[in-house]
Amino acid sequence: MDLIIGTWSFCFDAIRQKEELYRSETSCLDAVENTINQIEGDERYGPCIVGRGGPPNSAGYREYDAAIMDGRTLKFGAVTALSGDYNLADHHKMLTGEGAGQFALENGFRAECETPHQSKPVRNFGENDSKSHDTLGLIALRQKGSEIAVGVSTSGAPGKHPGRVGDSALPGGGLYANAHGAACCSGDGDEILKFCPSFHIVHLISQGMVPEEACKEVVQKIYNQNNQLEIALIAADIKGNYGACSTVRSWNDPLTQKHYEGFPYVLWTKDMTCPEIQLAPTVS
Ligand code: GLY
């Protein structure tokens, strides 16, 4: 792998632990899937609104949205409103709700909670959690072979109505990739899905814009229309350029309790001995 970037500082440890995998011949899709699975399977990431420790919906059980996309082939796979704790990624289709769970069982995935009502929150989520929309998003790039892949995963807005699907797993909304680049985002999915920001960024990259400028242009346009919207984006192009932008002014990492004056994302390149946390520019 030449480059990995991930939304929010909470993915720092997982990216650091996967360095050996990134230095192997593994595909970008597998690198993305493997890293996301590690975080999804670890209950400590629940307060980051990801995986099996995540906050439940208003009926008390978790429903996940997750997706993965390969830029070279445009293969896409997603699950939305999936209840039960699976590690699931299929690269060809979008499945939702009970059908997604049924597909997982038919394909040999083990469910820890087979019905929604057996799924229990691991802790009580409070007032502030309901304002969180953090989404794990990851981009992996290998220039040799022009490989680029993007994936996202979230347990979605805390206390959401059962069946609510946000932006995350929607192609063009929470993620997009083509042969030129990839983008993904985090934030208030009910609003974000109106703007198709990931598609917009990748479209600008395809026209020759560098990822940093593309991210800024898209976030600025969205901000001009809705200056209350929380959105954070990362992107990369096939040449190895990367960028990010957000409307986030202040954020506390739920894992480390560290405070950031903006949107912290994680960057790893093959020349680094350790990943770095970078702060994205904001718009006004
Ligand atoms: N962006 C995650 C969500 O709103 O569900």
Side-chain angles (χ1 to χ4, degrees), residues 116-192:
H117 303 287
Q118 291 168 341
S119 177
K120 294 277 187 306
V122 290
R123 72 175 179 94
N124 292 326
F125 284 79
E127 174 86 347
N128 283 338
D129 291 310
S130 65
K131 298 191 190 88
S132 303
H133 297 274
D134 308 344
T135 299
L136 171 62
L138 213 69
I139 297 172
L141 163 78
R142 179 182 283 121
Q143 280 181 272
K144 190 170 153 232
S146 299
E147 259 189 82
I148 189 160
V150 59
V152 294
S153 181
T154 181
S155 47
K160 65 190 176 182
H161 194 281
R164 176 264 188 192
V165 174
D167 63 307
S168 299
L170 303 184
L175 78 168
Y176 197 73
N178 69 11
H180 300 278
C184 58
C185 72
S186 177
D188 181 351
D190 298 311
E191 292 298 314
I192 290 174

Coordinates of all heavy atoms in Angstrom, one line a residue, residues 116-192:
P116 N -33.1 -8.4 16.4 CA -32.9 -7.1 16.9 C -33.1 -7.0 18.4 O -32.3 -6.3 19.1 CB -33.9 -6.3 16.2 CG -34.3 -7.0 14.9 CD -34.0 -8.5 15.2
H117 N -34.1 -7.6 18.9 CA -34.4 -7.4 20.3 C -33.5 -8.1 21.3 O -33.5 -7.8 22.5 CB -35.9 -7.7 20.5 CG -36.8 -7.0 19.6 ND1 -37.0 -5.6 19.8 CD2 -37.4 -7.3 18.4 CE1 -37.7 -5.2 18.7 NE2 -37.9 -6.2 17.9
Q118 N -32.6 -8.9 20.8 CA -31.6 -9.5 21.7 C -30.4 -8.6 21.8 O -29.5 -8.9 22.5 CB -31.2 -10.9 21.2 CG -32.3 -11.9 21.3 CD -32.0 -13.2 20.5 OE1 -31.2 -13.2 19.6 NE2 -32.7 -14.2 20.9
S119 N -30.3 -7.6 20.9 CA -29.1 -6.8 20.9 C -29.2 -5.7 22.0 O -30.1 -4.9 22.0 CB -29.1 -6.1 19.5 OG -28.0 -5.3 19.4
K120 N -28.3 -5.7 22.9 CA -28.3 -4.8 24.0 C -27.2 -3.8 24.0 O -26.1 -4.1 23.6 CB -28.1 -5.6 25.3 CG -29.2 -6.6 25.6 CD -30.4 -5.9 26.3 CE -31.4 -6.9 26.8 NZ -32.0 -7.8 25.8
P121 N -27.6 -2.5 24.3 CA -26.5 -1.5 24.4 C -25.5 -1.9 25.5 O -25.9 -2.4 26.5 CB -27.2 -0.2 24.7 CG -28.6 -0.6 25.3 CD -28.9 -2.0 24.7
V122 N -24.2 -1.5 25.3 CA -23.3 -1.9 26.3 C -23.2 -0.8 27.4 O -22.6 -1.0 28.4 CB -21.9 -2.1 25.7 CG1 -21.8 -3.4 24.9 CG2 -21.4 -0.9 24.9
R123 N -23.7 0.4 27.1 CA -23.7 1.4 28.1 C -24.9 2.3 27.8 O -25.4 2.3 26.7 CB -22.4 2.2 28.2 CG -22.2 3.1 27.0 CD -20.9 3.9 27.2 NE -20.7 4.8 26.1 CZ -21.1 6.1 26.0 NH1 -21.8 6.6 27.0 NH2 -20.8 6.8 25.0
N124 N -25.2 3.2 28.7 CA -26.3 4.2 28.4 C -25.6 5.3 27.6 O -24.6 5.8 28.0 CB -26.9 4.7 29.7 CG -27.7 3.6 30.4 OD1 -28.3 2.8 29.7 ND2 -27.6 3.6 31.7
F125 N -26.3 5.7 26.6 CA -25.8 6.9 25.8 C -26.5 8.1 26.2 O -27.8 8.1 26.3 CB -25.9 6.6 24.3 CG -24.8 5.6 23.9 CD1 -25.0 4.3 24.1 CD2 -23.7 6.1 23.2 CE1 -24.0 3.4 23.7 CE2 -22.7 5.2 22.8 CZ -22.8 3.8 23.1
G126 N -25.8 9.2 26.4 CA -26.5 10.4 27.0 C -26.8 11.4 26.0 O -26.8 11.2 24.8
E127 N -27.2 12.6 26.5 CA -27.7 13.7 25.7 C -26.6 14.1 24.6 O -27.0 14.3 23.5 CB -27.8 14.9 26.7 CG -28.1 16.2 26.1 CD -29.6 16.4 25.9 OE1 -30.4 15.4 26.0 OE2 -30.0 17.5 25.6
N128 N -25.4 14.2 25.0 CA -24.4 14.6 24.0 C -24.1 13.6 22.9 O -23.8 14.0 21.8 CB -23.0 14.9 24.7 CG -23.1 16.2 25.5 OD1 -23.9 17.0 25.1 ND2 -22.2 16.3 26.4
D129 N -24.3 12.3 23.3 CA -24.1 11.3 22.2 C -25.1 11.5 21.1 O -24.8 11.1 20.0 CB -24.3 9.9 22.8 CG -23.2 9.6 23.8 OD1 -22.0 9.8 23.4 OD2 -23.5 9.2 24.9
S130 N -26.3 12.0 21.4 CA -27.3 12.1 20.3 C -26.9 13.1 19.3 O -27.5 13.1 18.2 CB -28.7 12.4 20.9 OG -28.6 13.7 21.5
K131 N -25.9 13.9 19.6 CA -25.4 14.9 18.6 C -24.3 14.3 17.8 O -23.8 15.0 16.9 CB -25.0 16.2 19.3 CG -26.1 16.8 20.1 CD -25.7 18.2 20.6 CE -26.7 18.8 21.5 NZ -26.4 18.5 22.9
S132 N -23.8 13.1 18.1 CA -22.6 12.6 17.5 C -23.0 11.9 16.2 O -24.0 11.1 16.2 CB -21.9 11.6 18.4 OG -21.6 12.2 19.5
H133 N -22.3 12.1 15.2 CA -22.5 11.3 13.9 C -21.2 10.8 13.4 O -21.1 10.7 12.1 CB -23.2 12.3 12.9 CG -24.5 12.8 13.3 ND1 -25.7 12.1 13.1 CD2 -24.8 14.0 13.9 CE1 -26.7 12.9 13.6 NE2 -26.2 14.0 14.1
D134 N -20.3 10.5 14.2 CA -19.0 10.1 13.7 C -19.1 8.8 12.9 O -19.8 7.9 13.3 CB -18.0 9.8 14.9 CG -18.0 11.0 15.9 OD1 -18.4 12.1 15.5 OD2 -17.5 10.8 17.0
T135 N -18.4 8.8 11.8 CA -18.4 7.6 11.0 C -16.9 7.2 10.7 O -16.1 8.1 10.4 CB -19.1 7.9 9.6 OG1 -20.4 8.2 9.9 CG2 -19.1 6.7 8.7
L136 N -16.7 5.9 10.8 CA -15.3 5.5 10.4 C -15.3 5.4 8.9 O -16.1 4.7 8.3 CB -15.1 4.1 11.0 CG -13.8 3.3 10.6 CD1 -12.6 4.1 10.9 CD2 -13.8 1.9 11.2
G137 N -14.3 6.0 8.3 CA -14.1 6.0 6.9 C -12.7 5.7 6.6 O -11.8 6.3 7.3
L138 N -12.4 4.9 5.6 CA -11.0 4.6 5.3 C -10.7 4.5 3.8 O -11.6 3.9 3.1 CB -10.7 3.2 5.9 CG -9.3 2.9 6.5 CD1 -9.1 3.8 7.7 CD2 -9.2 1.5 6.8
I139 N -9.6 5.0 3.4 CA -9.2 4.9 2.0 C -7.9 4.3 1.9 O -7.0 4.6 2.7 CB -9.2 6.4 1.3 CG1 -10.5 7.0 1.4 CG2 -8.6 6.3 -0.1 CD1 -10.5 8.5 0.9
A140 N -7.7 3.3 1.0 CA -6.4 2.7 0.8 C -6.0 2.8 -0.7 O -6.9 2.7 -1.6 CB -6.4 1.2 1.2
L141 N -4.7 3.1 -0.9 CA -4.3 3.3 -2.3 C -3.0 2.6 -2.6 O -2.1 2.6 -1.8 CB -4.1 4.9 -2.4 CG -3.3 5.4 -3.6 CD1 -4.1 5.4 -4.8 CD2 -2.8 6.8 -3.2
R142 N -2.9 2.0 -3.8 CA -1.6 1.5 -4.2 C -1.5 1.9 -5.7 O -2.3 1.6 -6.5 CB -1.6 -0.1 -4.1 CG -0.3 -0.6 -4.7 CD -0.2 -2.1 -4.6 NE 0.0 -2.6 -3.3 CZ -0.7 -3.5 -2.6 NH1 -1.9 -3.9 -3.2 NH2 -0.4 -3.9 -1.4
Q143 N -0.5 2.7 -6.0 CA -0.3 3.3 -7.3 C -0.1 2.2 -8.3 O -0.6 2.2 -9.4 CB 0.8 4.4 -7.3 CG 0.2 5.7 -6.8 CD 1.3 6.7 -6.9 OE1 2.1 6.9 -5.9 NE2 1.4 7.5 -8.0
K144 N 0.8 1.2 -7.9 CA 1.1 0.1 -8.8 C -0.2 -0.7 -9.0 O -0.8 -1.1 -8.1 CB 2.2 -0.8 -8.2 CG 2.7 -1.8 -9.1 CD 4.0 -2.5 -8.5 CE 4.1 -3.8 -9.0 NZ 4.2 -4.9 -8.0
G145 N -0.6 -0.8 -10.3 CA -1.9 -1.5 -10.5 C -3.1 -0.5 -10.4 O -4.2 -1.0 -10.6
S146 N -2.8 0.7 -10.1 CA -3.9 1.7 -9.9 C -5.1 1.2 -9.1 O -6.2 1.3 -9.5 CB -4.5 2.1 -11.3 OG -3.4 2.6 -12.1
E147 N -4.7 0.8 -7.9 CA -5.8 0.3 -7.0 C -6.1 1.4 -6.0 O -5.3 2.0 -5.3 CB -5.1 -0.8 -6.1 CG -5.4 -2.2 -6.5 CD -4.9 -3.2 -5.5 OE1 -5.6 -3.4 -4.5 OE2 -3.8 -3.7 -5.6
I148 N -7.4 1.5 -5.8 CA -7.9 2.5 -4.7 C -9.2 1.9 -4.2 O -10.1 1.4 -5.0 CB -8.0 3.9 -5.2 CG1 -8.2 4.9 -4.0 CG2 -9.0 4.1 -6.3 CD1 -7.9 6.3 -4.3
A149 N -9.4 1.9 -2.9 CA -10.6 1.4 -2.3 C -11.0 2.3 -1.1 O -10.2 2.9 -0.5 CB -10.5 0.0 -1.8
V150 N -12.3 2.3 -0.8 CA -12.8 3.1 0.3 C -13.9 2.3 1.0 O -14.6 1.5 0.4 CB -13.4 4.5 -0.2 CG1 -14.5 4.3 -1.2 CG2 -13.9 5.3 0.9
G151 N -14.0 2.5 2.3 CA -15.0 1.8 3.1 C -15.5 2.7 4.3 O -14.7 3.6 4.7
V152 N -16.7 2.4 4.7 CA -17.2 3.2 5.8 C -18.0 2.2 6.7 O -18.5 1.2 6.3 CB -18.2 4.3 5.4 CG1 -17.5 5.4 4.6 CG2 -19.3 3.8 4.6
S153 N -18.1 2.6 8.0 CA -18.9 1.8 8.9 C -19.4 2.7 10.1 O -18.7 3.5 10.6 CB -18.1 0.7 9.5 OG -18.9 -0.1 10.4
T154 N -20.7 2.6 10.4 CA -21.2 3.3 11.6 C -22.4 2.6 12.2 O -23.1 1.8 11.4 CB -21.7 4.7 11.1 OG1 -22.2 5.5 12.2 CG2 -22.8 4.7 10.1
S155 N -22.6 2.8 13.4 CA -23.9 2.3 14.0 C -24.9 3.4 13.9 O -26.1 3.2 14.4 CB -23.7 1.9 15.5 OG -22.9 2.8 16.2
G156 N -24.6 4.5 13.3 CA -25.6 5.6 12.9 C -25.9 6.5 14.1 O -25.5 6.3 15.2
A157 N -26.8 7.4 13.8 CA -27.1 8.5 14.7 C -27.7 7.8 16.0 O -28.7 7.0 15.9 CB -28.1 9.4 14.1
P158 N -27.2 8.1 17.2 CA -27.7 7.5 18.4 C -29.2 7.8 18.6 O -29.6 8.9 18.3 CB -26.9 8.1 19.5 CG -25.6 8.5 18.8 CD -26.0 8.9 17.4
G159 N -30.0 6.8 18.9 CA -31.4 7.0 19.2 C -32.2 7.2 17.9 O -33.4 7.6 17.9
K160 N -31.6 6.9 16.7 CA -32.4 7.0 15.5 C -33.6 6.1 15.4 O -33.7 5.1 16.2 CB -31.4 6.6 14.3 CG -31.0 5.2 14.3 CD -29.9 4.9 13.3 CE -29.4 3.4 13.4 NZ -28.3 3.2 12.5
H161 N -34.5 6.4 14.6 CA -35.7 5.6 14.4 C -35.3 4.3 13.8 O -34.4 4.3 12.9 CB -36.7 6.3 13.5 CG -38.1 5.7 13.6 ND1 -38.4 4.5 12.9 CD2 -39.2 6.0 14.3 CE1 -39.6 4.2 13.2 NE2 -40.1 5.1 14.0
P162 N -35.8 3.1 14.2 CA -35.5 1.9 13.5 C -35.7 2.0 12.0 O -36.8 2.5 11.6 CB -36.5 0.9 14.2 CG -36.8 1.4 15.5 CD -36.8 2.9 15.4
G163 N -34.8 1.5 11.3 CA -34.9 1.6 9.8 C -34.3 2.8 9.2 O -34.2 2.9 8.0
R164 N -33.9 3.8 10.0 CA -33.3 5.0 9.5 C -31.9 4.7 8.9 O -31.1 4.0 9.4 CB -33.1 6.0 10.6 CG -32.4 7.3 10.2 CD -30.9 7.3 10.5 NE -30.3 8.6 10.3 CZ -29.0 8.7 10.3 NH1 -28.2 7.7 10.5 NH2 -28.4 9.9 10.2
V165 N -31.7 5.1 7.7 CA -30.4 5.0 7.0 C -29.8 6.3 6.7 O -30.5 7.2 6.2 CB -30.6 4.2 5.7 CG1 -29.3 4.1 4.9 CG2 -31.1 2.8 6.0
G166 N -28.6 6.5 7.1 CA -27.9 7.8 6.9 C -27.2 7.8 5.6 O -27.4 7.0 4.7
D167 N -26.2 8.7 5.5 CA -25.5 8.9 4.3 C -24.4 7.8 4.1 O -24.0 7.5 2.9 CB -24.7 10.2 4.3 CG -23.7 10.2 5.5 OD1 -24.1 9.9 6.6 OD2 -22.5 10.5 5.2
S168 N -24.0 7.2 5.2 CA -22.7 6.5 5.2 C -22.6 5.4 4.1 O -21.6 5.3 3.3 CB -22.4 5.8 6.5 OG -22.4 6.8 7.5
A169 N -23.6 4.5 4.0 CA -23.5 3.4 3.1 C -24.1 3.7 1.7 O -24.2 2.8 0.8 CB -24.2 2.2 3.7
L170 N -24.4 5.0 1.4 CA -25.0 5.3 0.1 C -23.9 5.7 -0.8 O -23.1 6.6 -0.5 CB -26.0 6.4 0.3 CG -27.2 6.2 1.2 CD1 -28.2 7.3 1.2 CD2 -27.9 4.9 0.9
P171 N -23.8 5.1 -2.0 CA -22.7 5.4 -2.9 C -22.9 6.9 -3.4 O -24.0 7.3 -3.8 CB -22.9 4.4 -4.1 CG -24.3 3.9 -3.9 CD -24.7 4.0 -2.5
G172 N -21.8 7.6 -3.3 CA -21.9 9.0 -3.6 C -22.1 9.9 -2.4 O -21.7 11.1 -2.4
G173 N -22.8 9.4 -1.4 CA -23.1 10.1 -0.2 C -21.9 9.9 0.8 O -21.0 10.8 0.8
G174 N -21.9 8.8 1.5 CA -20.9 8.6 2.5 C -19.5 8.1 1.9 O -18.5 8.2 2.6
L175 N -19.6 7.6 0.7 CA -18.3 7.1 0.1 C -18.5 7.1 -1.4 O -19.6 7.0 -1.9 CB -17.9 5.8 0.6 CG -18.7 4.5 0.0 CD1 -18.0 3.3 0.5 CD2 -20.1 4.5 0.5
Y176 N -17.4 7.2 -2.1 CA -17.3 6.9 -3.6 C -15.9 6.7 -4.0 O -15.0 7.3 -3.4 CB -18.0 8.1 -4.4 CG -18.3 7.7 -5.8 CD1 -19.4 6.9 -6.0 CD2 -17.5 8.1 -6.8 CE1 -19.7 6.4 -7.3 CE2 -17.8 7.6 -8.1 CZ -18.9 6.8 -8.3 OH -19.2 6.4 -9.6
A177 N -15.7 5.9 -5.0 CA -14.4 5.8 -5.6 C -14.5 5.5 -7.1 O -15.5 4.8 -7.5 CB -13.7 4.6 -4.9
N178 N -13.6 6.0 -7.8 CA -13.5 5.5 -9.3 C -12.0 5.4 -9.6 O -11.1 5.4 -8.6 CB -14.2 6.5 -10.2 CG -13.6 7.8 -10.3 OD1 -12.4 8.1 -9.9 ND2 -14.3 8.8 -11.0
A179 N -11.6 5.3 -10.8 CA -10.2 5.0 -11.2 C -9.3 6.2 -10.8 O -8.1 6.1 -10.7 CB -10.1 4.7 -12.6
H180 N -9.9 7.4 -10.6 CA -9.1 8.6 -10.4 C -8.9 8.9 -8.9 O -7.9 9.5 -8.5 CB -9.8 9.8 -11.0 CG -10.0 9.7 -12.5 ND1 -9.0 10.0 -13.4 CD2 -11.0 9.3 -13.2 CE1 -9.4 9.8 -14.6 NE2 -10.7 9.4 -14.5
G181 N -9.9 8.5 -8.1 CA -9.7 8.8 -6.6 C -10.9 8.2 -5.8 O -11.7 7.5 -6.3
A182 N -10.8 8.6 -4.5 CA -11.9 8.1 -3.6 C -12.1 9.2 -2.5 O -11.2 10.0 -2.2 CB -11.4 6.8 -2.9
A183 N -13.3 9.2 -2.0 CA -13.6 10.1 -0.9 C -14.6 9.4 0.0 O -15.4 8.5 -0.4 CB -14.2 11.4 -1.5
C184 N -14.6 9.9 1.3 CA -15.7 9.4 2.2 C -15.9 10.5 3.3 O -15.1 11.4 3.4 CB -15.3 8.1 2.9 SG -13.8 8.1 3.8
C185 N -17.0 10.4 4.0 CA -17.3 11.4 4.9 C -18.0 11.0 6.2 O -18.4 9.8 6.3 CB -18.1 12.5 4.2 SG -19.8 12.1 3.9
S186 N -18.0 11.9 7.1 CA -18.6 11.7 8.4 C -19.4 12.9 8.8 O -19.1 14.0 8.3 CB -17.4 11.5 9.4 OG -17.9 11.4 10.8
G187 N -20.4 12.7 9.5 CA -21.2 13.9 9.9 C -22.7 13.5 10.0 O -23.1 12.4 10.0
D188 N -23.5 14.5 9.9 CA -25.0 14.4 10.1 C -25.6 13.8 8.8 O -26.0 14.6 7.9 CB -25.5 15.8 10.4 CG -27.0 15.8 10.6 OD1 -27.7 14.7 10.4 OD2 -27.6 16.8 11.0
G189 N -25.8 12.5 8.8 CA -26.2 11.8 7.6 C -27.5 12.2 7.0 O -27.7 12.1 5.8
D190 N -28.5 12.6 7.9 CA -29.8 13.0 7.4 C -29.7 14.2 6.5 O -30.4 14.4 5.5 CB -30.7 13.3 8.5 CG -31.0 12.1 9.4 OD1 -31.2 11.0 8.8 OD2 -30.8 12.2 10.6
E191 N -28.7 15.1 6.7 CA -28.5 16.3 5.9 C -27.5 16.0 4.8 O -27.7 16.4 3.6 CB -27.9 17.4 6.8 CG -28.9 18.0 7.8 CD -30.2 18.5 7.1 OE1 -30.0 19.3 6.1 OE2 -31.3 18.2 7.5
I192 N -26.4 15.2 5.1 CA -25.3 15.0 4.1 C -25.9 14.3 2.9 O -25.4 14.6 1.8 CB -24.2 14.2 4.8 CG1 -23.5 15.0 5.8 CG2 -23.2 13.6 3.7 CD1 -22.4 14.2 6.6

